[in-house]
Amino acid sequence: MPAARLIRFNKPWGVLSQFTPEGRWQGLKDFIDLPGVYVAGRLDADSEGLLLLTDDGKLQAHIADPRFKMEKVYWVQVEGTPDEVALAALCSGVQLNDGLTRPARARRLDPPPDVWARQPPIRERKNIPTAWIELAIREGRNRQVRRMTAAVGLPTLRLIRAAIGPHTLDGLAPGSWAG
């Protein structure tokens, strides 16, 4: 039996975590033409970064299922300036409408990560600074990172998943894949 295939894909903004496009959103078929691979986990169309695909159902479940607590690392550009209180709140768990989040790892990224320009660009307000934080979580609620940063007064402007467990974006331009 051949080894499981694992594909790392740098999902651009505006692409769904499915092969079929819907409405204004593109699908993965515009970037990946590999029969028999399936998405392991999700990343919203308005988020960017690492998406894993595999042809192995057990591996797919292990990556996607929060019971396995595989850490996911995000680089988040936020509106405002994160202070120690906001970072401590993210680290200890944030109360959301669906309950308290698990503790996370959070730190300010200074200097900001060296990332590609986003198309379309984020909205920026001249009077409000932006900053980047790294947030690592081990659960996967709907739009969780965006809701967590908003709960501590730092609305998300841009969200890039940088890693899932040991797998990273390293060497992948937006829209490219390896595996």
Side-chain angles (χ1 to χ4, degrees):
M1 187 166 136
R5 184 153 197 196
L6 183 68
I7 305 296
R8 294 179 309 124
F9 175 59
N10 187 347
K11 188 189 86 59
W13 187 92
V15 177
L16 296 169
S17 295
Q18 63 189 39
F19 283 91
T20 309
E22 281 184 21
R24 67 182 180 129
W25 305 117
Q26 288 181 278
L28 295 175
K29 73 176 184 136
D30 294 333
F31 300 90
I32 301 171
D33 183 19
L34 291 174
V37 296
Y38 302 94
V39 176
R42 293 184 37 81
L43 195 56
D44 293 326
D46 59 351
S47 298
E48 307 163 74
L50 186 63
L51 191 64
L52 298 177
L53 298 92
T54 183
D55 60 359
D56 181 294
K58 286 184 180 178
L59 179 58
Q60 180 186 26
H62 184 76
I63 293 167
D65 194 321
R67 288 179 301 176
F68 295 108
K69 298 177 182 64
M70 186 171 276
E71 184 176 75
K72 295 169 183 71
V73 177
Y74 297 87
W75 295 334
V76 191
Q77 187 175 14
V78 296
E79 189 173 78
T81 304
D83 59 18
E84 291 307 314
V85 172
L87 294 173
L90 292 169
C91 288
S92 62
V94 177
Q95 185 65 45
L96 302 176
N97 62 353
D98 57 354
L100 187 65
T101 64
R102 289 187 159 160
R105 284 190 306 108
R107 67 182 179 102
R108 184 168 177 170
L109 292 174
D110 200 8
D114 184 19
V115 296
W116 55 93
R118 195 187 91 173
Q119 291 303 325
I122 64 162
R123 66 166 169 82
E124 288 193 55
R125 296 194 268 184
K126 290 182 180 176
N127 300 349
I128 301 177
T130 70
W132 285 86
I133 60 173
E134 180 178 85
L135 187 61
I137 62 174
R138 291 183 179 270
E139 56 186 336
R141 300 181 198 188
N142 187 42
R143 300 182 73 77
Q144 179 175 343
V145 171
R146 292 176 188 279
R147 295 189 298 140
M148 287 176 73
T149 63
V152 298
L154 300 166
T156 294
L157 298 171
R158 186 172 182 194
L159 180 62
I160 299 171
R161 183 159 56 200
I164 301 171
H167 311 287
T168 69
L169 277 177
D170 292 348
L172 290 178
S176 68
W177 59 273

